[in-house]
């Protein structure tokens, strides 16, 4: 009984420590984008194409969430998670990302990139 309990506690500690160490290598970024209102629909199509392609073909691109301000649909914020800084650096060299950047260069009025550290994270297991 004690042996099983000790093994369980050790396993939990190891998995928690490993998970935290793995998260510490990840890159979390916020991109704040202001888009030309006349080109917003086309911009959103191009953004969706780039994001979905990156998720499908790049193992280091872990997640994207793009949201728009309800009061100003031209203000878009993207929450990005990469496996590492190297994964991000690889991502911006891909043909699909370069295609996106070229296609939207006249649609984006401003861009602010904010590198962040995760303070805390909570989510459902099936989310």
């Amino acid at each position: 009984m004690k042996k099983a309990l000790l093994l369980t506690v050790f396993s939990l500690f190891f998995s928690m420590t490993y998970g935290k160490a793995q998260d510490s290598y990840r890159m979390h970024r916020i991109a704040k984008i202001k888009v030309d209102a006349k080109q917003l629909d086309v911009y959103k199509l191009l953004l969706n194409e780039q994001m979905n392609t990156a998720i499908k073909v790049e193992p280091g691109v872990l997640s994207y969430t793009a949201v728009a301000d309800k009061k100003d649909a031209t203000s878009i914020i993207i929450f990005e998670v990469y496996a590492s800084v190297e994964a991000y650096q690889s991502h911006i060299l891909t043909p699909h990302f370069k295609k996106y950047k070229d296609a939207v260069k006249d649609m984006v009025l401003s861009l602010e990139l904010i590198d962040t550290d995760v303070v805390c994270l909570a989510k459902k297991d099936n989310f």
Side-chain angles (χ1 to χ4, degrees), residues 18-53:
Y18 176 73
K20 287 179 184 174
Q22 195 174 26
D23 283 346
S24 70
Y25 293 109
R26 290 185 177 161
M27 179 180 170
H28 297 82
R29 172 172 275 178
I30 296 170
K32 295 170 74 175
I33 303 167
K34 184 71 171 174
V35 180
D36 177 8
K38 295 174 191 163
Q39 302 182 71
L40 183 59
D41 290 336
V42 174
Y43 175 81
K44 289 194 289 188
L45 289 172
L46 293 166
L47 176 62
N48 188 54
E49 178 185 357
Q50 189 290 128
M51 287 172 49
N52 281 292
T53 301

Side-chain angles (χ1 to χ4, degrees), residues 48-103:
N48 188 54
E49 178 185 357
Q50 189 290 128
M51 287 172 49
N52 281 292
T53 301
I55 290 292
K56 285 178 189 170
V57 303
E58 294 182 70
V61 177
L62 302 181
S63 75
Y64 287 119
T65 302
V67 296
D69 185 327
K70 284 189 175 189
K71 295 177 186 173
D72 179 7
T74 65
S75 292
I76 295 175
I77 297 174
I78 306 170
F79 302 96
E80 308 172 3
V81 182
Y82 302 92
S84 64
V85 171
E86 294 79 16
Y88 170 75
Q89 291 168 340
S90 174
H91 164 68
I92 62 174
L93 298 175
T94 61
H96 56 269
F97 183 76
K98 288 179 179 182
K99 175 185 170 188
Y100 159 79
K101 287 298 278 187
D102 187 55

Side-chain angles (χ1 to χ4, degrees), residues 23 28 116-121:
D23 283 346
H28 297 82
T116 64
D117 288 323
V118 174
V119 174
C120 42
L121 175 66

Side-chain angles (χ1 to χ4, degrees), residues 1-16:
M1 176 78 170
K2 282 185 179 180
K3 205 177 213 181
L5 181 59
L6 186 58
L7 185 58
T8 302
V9 170
F10 178 74
S11 296
L12 284 172
F13 176 75
F14 179 75
S15 66
M16 288 170 50

